[in-house]
Every structure is written in C-alpha cells, then in structure tokens.
Amino acid sequence: MTSQDNHSRTQAPSHVSGRPARKSSRWLGRLMALAVLVVWPLVLVGFFISSCGEEREFFDEPLMRQLGARPDRITSYDFHGLMVPGTKEDAKRLGFSDCSANDAFFYCTRPRMGKFLGVEVRAASLILDEMDNFIETRFSIQKRNPGVFSYRSIQIEFGPTFYDTDCLNKHNKERPGHAWVRLLECRKNDGIDYFKYLLQADGWVNDTSGRGRVDAYYKRGIPLEIEVGVVNGTANIRPFPLKDVELITQAQAQAASTLAPHDDSQASREKFVRSMKQ
C-alpha cells in the first residue's frame, strides 16, 4: 500500500462527515426562515389586537366610569302645597289616603281637593311603588328600592274644557283671515284649557329643544315638568332636571326672539290689497 493510499484513507472520514453537517445547516436555515414567516405575522396580529384593546379601553373608560357612578339624588319640591316626589308619609300627609292595592303598586287618591292654581279639580291621584323615585332623570326609572314605597308624580284631573258653539262662531266670523280658534271667553267651564292658559300666563313654556315631552310645560328655575293630557283633561306634575329646564327655557327664548314682528291688523291687510291694485 502506497503512502498516497494511506493519505486518502485517513482523509476519507473527514470528507464523509462534512455532508451531514452541510445538510443540517441547510435544514436549520429553512426552519428559521419558516419560523420567521409564521411567527412574524402572529406578532403583528397580536400587536394590532393589543393596540385596539388599548384604544377601546381608552374610549370606554369614561362610559364605564359614568355607568358606575352614583346617580344624582333629588329632594322633594313644594309646588303650591304638593310635594314632588315624595315618600309614603308625604302622600298620607297630603291627603292621598284612599288607596287600592295592585300586584306592583298602590294607587292612592285624594278626595275633595277643591281648586289648584285657581282651577276646579275633579280628582287627584298618585302611585306608591318600590321604584327609587328620588333618582334625578328625565324619563323612566329603572332602579328598584325594595321595601321602601314612594311616588314620582302627582296627577290632577281637571277635565276637558267645553265651549259654547254660538259664541265661537260669532267671534271667529268677526276675525276674517284668522284661523278658527277656541276662545276662552266662550268656555262653559274652566277645565284643562284654562289651566294651560294660566300656566302660560305664569311663564311656563312648551319644549322646542327636544329634551322634554311634547305636551309638557317648563318654567325657568323650577325643577318640574307638567305634562298635559288634553283629551282626558289631566296634568301630571313630576320632577325634571333643572339643567334641562334651563336649556328648554333658553331655547324657547331664542326661538321667540328670532320671530320677526308681523302686522296682522285689518289696516295692514287693506293696505296690501290696495298695493296689489296699483
């Protein structure tokens, strides 16, 4: 055996062992590339999800804080001798002692109420229930107060206003060009129309801002709402947030100030007719 053969034999193991090393390095590189392709999109997705979560938490935090906050409480307001809202003791003290039981509430009436704001009252009633009627809110109450009875509003029934037909026809014929109206001087009784007239004369206004009810009246500085039912001639007196009352009365004042003065006199109409002939 020559020395060359010995040299080739001694170098053979080194040559053979290099092939697996190169193969393993190639597979390792492929695995790393695959890992980059798979893991990197997952990292990006996780980043965007976490970012969205942080953004959602940022915007939801004030809402959650608001929902978790304790609602404002209100105290009873004395409106011409009627306390709104009130407790069971207030209802009894005001004379609403004739009560009938229902599954969820007690319906209590007050006999012989007489007049309210100068208008004869047919009946007055309220409902005692276990709702938390001392929460400050514009509309419905959702929170219950088990075992504690109170009332939210007082309903007064005046009845509808009836009119003399001959009187109405006479006065409306004397007002050509005007819409037909029910004049209070032609009424046979007071009723709900006269009550509305007295409210308006005292500074109560309808809502034009959309924050209150359509057939309700509000007055600046008074945290109440008086909802009028013309058909059955009733007035519901209930609490209403004072800040919303201020917004409603401001909107009404602004609407009134923007109305241009309109001369609706007979002389003005005759002047218009003459101008058309010239």
Side-chain angles (χ1 to χ4, degrees):
M1 182 179 296
T2 63
S3 60
Q4 184 177 0
D5 294 334
N6 291 334
H7 177 73
S8 299
R9 186 173 298 175
T10 57
Q11 294 295 327
S14 175
H15 176 72
V16 173
S17 63
R19 292 179 179 177
R22 286 194 296 272
K23 288 182 179 181
S24 62
S25 63
R26 286 198 300 270
W27 280 108
L28 180 61
R30 292 173 181 175
L31 289 174
M32 291 180 65
L34 182 62
V36 170
L37 292 175
V38 174
V39 175
W40 181 243
L42 294 177
V43 172
L44 292 176
V45 171
F47 172 77
F48 285 114
I49 291 177
S50 62
S51 299
C52 293
E54 292 175 358
E55 184 177 1
R56 184 174 60 252
E57 291 176 1
F58 174 78
F59 287 105
D60 288 352
E61 184 179 0
L63 176 61
M64 296 305 296
R65 190 187 309 118
Q66 180 180 358
L67 293 175
R70 188 174 181 179
D72 294 334
R73 310 295 296 173
I74 56 178
T75 57
S76 297
Y77 187 86
D78 187 344
F79 185 62
H80 296 273
L82 296 181
M83 303 296 294
V84 182
T87 63
K88 179 182 68 174
E89 290 73 21
D90 291 329
K92 186 175 181 179
R93 180 177 54 81
L94 292 175
F96 292 90
S97 55
D98 188 3
C99 301
S100 58
N102 189 283
D103 292 339
F105 58 84
F106 293 92
Y107 177 78
C108 302
T109 61
R110 172 180 169 176
R112 299 181 302 276
M113 186 170 175
K115 289 188 176 183
F116 184 73
L117 296 182
V119 185
E120 192 69 30
V121 175
R122 287 186 177 183
S125 61
L126 56 80
I127 291 177
L128 287 169
D129 56 27
E130 294 180 299
M131 304 304 292
D132 191 352
N133 291 301
F134 286 83
I135 292 179
E136 186 180 64
T137 179
R138 285 190 293 162
F139 297 116
S140 61
I141 303 294
Q142 302 296 332
K143 185 179 179 182
R144 297 184 65 84
N145 201 359
V148 179
F149 285 89
S150 62
Y151 62 90
R152 183 74 175 178
S153 64
I154 295 177
Q155 178 175 280
I156 301 176
E157 181 181 344
F158 298 104
T161 301
F162 299 101
Y163 295 87
D164 182 87
T165 304
D166 294 335
C167 177
L168 291 178
N169 290 334
K170 176 183 177 181
H171 282 82
N172 280 282
K173 286 180 179 179
E174 294 174 353
R175 303 169 67 249
H178 289 75
W180 194 89
V181 294
R182 294 182 295 183
L183 301 175
L184 286 176
E185 54 261 38
C186 295
R187 72 183 188 279
K188 295 181 178 180
N189 65 318
D190 289 341
I192 192 65
D193 287 352
Y194 188 57
F195 178 73
K196 289 169 55 179
Y197 165 77
L198 293 178
L199 285 179
Q200 294 170 0
D202 193 38
W204 292 77
V205 298
N206 285 120
D207 175 34
T208 58
S209 67
R211 301 191 68 83
R213 291 176 171 85
V214 175
D215 298 321
Y217 289 85
Y218 308 87
K219 185 177 180 180
R220 185 174 184 180
I222 298 181
L224 295 178
E225 170 188 72
I226 302 179
E227 184 181 13
V228 174
V230 178
V231 176
N232 53 8
T234 60
N236 275 289
I237 305 171
R238 61 174 66 93
F240 201 79
L242 188 59
K243 59 181 180 297
D244 292 297
V245 171
E246 298 301 318
L247 292 174
I248 289 172
T249 53
Q250 289 176 11
Q252 181 73 356
Q254 292 175 359
S257 64
T258 56
L259 293 176
H262 178 63
D263 187 0
D264 200 25
S265 63
Q266 181 68 25
S268 176
R269 292 193 296 272
E270 292 176 354
K271 181 179 179 182
F272 177 83
V273 172
R274 289 195 302 270
S275 68
M276 295 298 294
K277 294 179 179 180
Q278 293 176 356

